[in-house]
């Protein structure tokens, strides 16, 4: 496929001349190739991206996942779901795969994502409950079906309080606001408005007093995310 070769050549050229400085740079270069194309060529380009993902070409896999997320390539959903079902592969690349799912794709993959999230958050192993893969799949689930992600709000918060910040006696000012919790609440409120706010209030009823300061920080970050939405 001509576009598959072009994608690989672009990645090789950028790596050879040292242009890659951080994750996503090559994905942006791929998008620069994509943007000026006509409708038919864009469809061919997307097909090449899906082909390379299916081949699990590690030279470009992570960057193509980023590109999928940027372009919202819904047609990649079946391949991405198959990759997530491969537990050994997903254990290493699940974060990238979750990022690659479009909103509609995440909706179609909701049952699979929920299975991964539930397995992670109910594990007796702390490392599995706090795994970036578990959290990435939870965020993807919220993008595709925020109501399905809602029951995990309190589970996630309580686990952080019991096994995260409490364990090293840090104060609320050190609470990591870049985590999954505010992102989940942003998705819920974005979709359901006032009803979403009421749902969140219901989820956090009877929060222990010693945790309230942490919850307030998470809510402040949620408000910031709603007022200043990211990409």
């Amino acid at each position: 496929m001509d576009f598959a070769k072009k994608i690989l050549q672009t990645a090789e050229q950028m790596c050879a001349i040292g242009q890659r400085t951080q994750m996503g740079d090559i994905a942006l270069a791929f998008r620069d190739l994509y943007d000026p194309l006509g409708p038919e060529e864009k469809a061919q380009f997307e097909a090449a991206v899906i082909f390379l993902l299916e081949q699990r070409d590690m030279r470009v896999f992570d960057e193509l996942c980023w590109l999928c997320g940027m372009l919202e390539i819904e047609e990649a959903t079946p391949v991405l779901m198959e990759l997530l079902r491969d537990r050994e592969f997903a254990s290493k690349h699940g974060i990238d795969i979750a990022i690659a799912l479009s909103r509609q794709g995440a909706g179609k993959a909701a049952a699979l994502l929920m299975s991964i999230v539930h397995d992670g958050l109910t594990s007796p192993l702390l490392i599995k409950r706090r795994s970036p893969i578990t959290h990435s799949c939870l965020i993807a689930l919220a993008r595709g079906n925020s109501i399905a992600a809602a029951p995990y709000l309190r589970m996630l918060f309580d686990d952080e309080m019991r096994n995260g910040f409490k364990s090293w006696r840090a104060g609320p000012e050190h609470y990591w606001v870049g985590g999954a919790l505010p992102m989940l609440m942003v998705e819920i409120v974005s979709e359901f408005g006032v009803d979403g706010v009421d749902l969140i209030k219901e989820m956090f009823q009877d929060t222990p007093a010693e945790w309230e300061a942490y919850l307030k920080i998470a809510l402040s970050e949620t408000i910031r995310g709603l007022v200043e939405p990211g990409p």
Side-chain angles (χ1 to χ4, degrees), residues 1-66:
M1 297 172 69
D2 289 342
F3 278 121
K5 291 179 181 177
K6 182 65 174 174
I7 287 169
L8 293 175
Q9 287 171 357
T10 299
E12 288 172 356
Q13 289 167 2
M14 289 191 69
C15 289
I17 62 178
Q19 287 187 13
R20 186 179 185 184
T21 57
Q22 60 183 359
M23 177 67 184
D25 284 355
I26 293 177
L28 291 171
F30 292 156
R31 191 176 66 179
D32 289 341
L33 290 175
Y34 175 88
D35 286 342
L37 299 176
E40 186 175 342
E41 287 183 314
K42 282 184 176 178
Q44 293 173 4
F45 188 98
E46 291 173 7
V49 169
I50 295 168
F51 169 77
L52 290 171
L53 288 174
E54 195 170 21
Q55 298 302 307
R56 307 186 185 190
D57 192 318
M58 290 298 104
R59 291 174 293 176
V60 289
F61 185 83
D62 54 353
E63 298 286 348
L64 289 179
C65 285
W66 274 67

Side-chain angles (χ1 to χ4, degrees), residues 126 129-130 156-176 208-212 214:
L126 178 61
R129 295 198 307 274
R130 303 295 299 278
L156 184 66
F157 180 72
D158 286 2
D159 190 58
E160 285 185 342
M161 294 299 102
R162 291 193 182 100
N163 300 295
F165 301 93
K166 183 179 178 182
S167 64
W168 47 271
R169 302 172 184 268
E173 65 273 16
H174 298 289
Y175 187 34
W176 182 48
E210 63 269 25
W211 295 353
E212 287 181 355
Y214 296 93

Side-chain angles (χ1 to χ4, degrees), residues 54-96:
E54 195 170 21
Q55 298 302 307
R56 307 186 185 190
D57 192 318
M58 290 298 104
R59 291 174 293 176
V60 289
F61 185 83
D62 54 353
E63 298 286 348
L64 289 179
C65 285
W66 274 67
L67 182 67
C68 265
M70 291 178 197
L71 301 182
E72 295 266 313
I73 302 177
E74 186 183 351
E75 289 77 9
T77 302
V79 171
L80 295 171
M81 288 178 66
E82 190 60 33
L83 295 173
L84 277 177
R85 289 190 184 98
D86 184 336
R87 291 302 178 92
E88 184 177 352
F89 187 80
S91 68
K92 298 177 181 177
H93 305 285
I95 296 172
D96 295 321

Side-chain angles (χ1 to χ4, degrees), residues 100-170:
L101 285 165
S102 67
R103 283 186 177 274
Q104 289 182 320
K108 291 179 180 177
L112 175 59
L113 291 168
M114 199 181 308
S115 173
I116 294 170
V117 169
H118 190 77
D119 182 55
L121 291 183
T122 59
S123 172
L125 300 174
L126 178 61
I127 192 171
K128 195 169 182 180
R129 295 198 307 274
R130 303 295 299 278
S131 165
I133 295 171
T134 300
H135 288 190
S136 295
C137 286
L138 180 53
I139 292 167
L141 176 63
R143 289 202 318 268
N145 187 340
S146 61
I147 200 67
Y152 297 106
L153 281 174
R154 186 61 185 266
M155 187 184 300
L156 184 66
F157 180 72
D158 286 2
D159 190 58
E160 285 185 342
M161 294 299 102
R162 291 193 182 100
N163 300 295
F165 301 93
K166 183 179 178 182
S167 64
W168 47 271
R169 302 172 184 268

Side-chain angles (χ1 to χ4, degrees), residues 153-154 157 181 200-207 215:
L153 281 174
R154 186 61 185 266
F157 180 72
L181 186 65
I200 291 170
K201 286 181 180 178
E202 183 179 339
M203 289 288 177
F204 287 99
Q205 281 183 348
D206 304 319
T207 298
L215 179 58

